[in-house]
Amino acid sequence: MNASGLNGLVVTLSTIHAKAIGGGIDAPRSCNVMIAEEQASFVYPEIKFNHFPITAVAILSRRMGARAAERMLMSGEEMSAQAFMEAGGLEAVVPTGTGEAWIRKYAQDSLPMHAAKTALFSAFNRRAGDLQAELEQLGQIWTDCMLRLNPSAISKLQRIAQTQDRMLARMYQRPATTPDLQLAF
């Protein structure tokens, strides 16, 4: 829905403030306009673990072109925001702390031409082909790839998943700072 601008109704916007990793790049990049603050970086490390981010092939190649997307996905190397923009992955790189203000200004400045912009984004999305069908095909390719992994590669992926789970658990642990509320009627 991001890529289609909710079927041509809106212009979708996103900003990256820090390091964007793997498949976590794809949702914001699927927006019509994506910017990043100068300290941001982008990396798809999946190739180093013998797999690939399913949506990246479709999303990146639509924005950057197939060769630039392939180079990025095959390298597994981190790119600065400036390098990602030069490869075609961003519309702008903005100073640290100004991403949200840039998005607000873009939205405000775009109001007089909103209908034309949504129509243009919609036309380019249609020209790029059926994203849903492409993602289904990529899902099948990814599944076939995963089924060919050896036990060592599977073990490595399991350790990565466990590490991510621990990081998320720590991130969402919050001390109870408010007393339990008691309701009286």
Side-chain angles (χ1 to χ4, degrees), residues 21 43-52 76 142 145-146 149-150 152-160 164:
I21 301 172
V43 62
Y44 283 94
E46 286 86 346
I47 192 76
K48 295 178 179 181
F49 306 110
N50 205 19
H51 73 102
F52 70 98
W142 182 87
C145 176
M146 293 296 102
L149 293 180
N150 63 39
S152 174
I154 293 169
S155 177
K156 187 182 288 187
L157 289 174
Q158 288 172 329
R159 286 192 306 275
I160 291 168
Q164 289 172 332

Side-chain angles (χ1 to χ4, degrees), residues 82-161:
Q82 188 64 41
F84 193 54
M85 184 179 82
E86 290 167 5
L90 297 170
E91 281 65 44
V93 175
V94 301
T96 300
T98 66
E100 290 177 30
W102 190 97
I103 292 287
R104 281 189 199 90
K105 183 171 180 358
Y106 178 93
Q108 181 180 11
D109 292 349
S110 294
L111 281 176
M113 57 204 115
H114 179 75
K117 283 194 174 196
T118 56
L120 276 171
F121 284 128
S122 182
F124 278 106
N125 283 328
R126 286 192 180 117
R127 188 180 186 297
D130 184 353
L131 181 58
Q132 184 172 345
E134 186 176 354
L135 291 173
E136 288 173 8
Q137 292 169 347
L138 289 167
Q140 184 60 52
I141 293 168
W142 182 87
T143 300
D144 293 343
C145 176
M146 293 296 102
L147 291 173
R148 289 192 310 265
L149 293 180
N150 63 39
S152 174
I154 293 169
S155 177
K156 187 182 288 187
L157 289 174
Q158 288 172 329
R159 286 192 306 275
I160 291 168

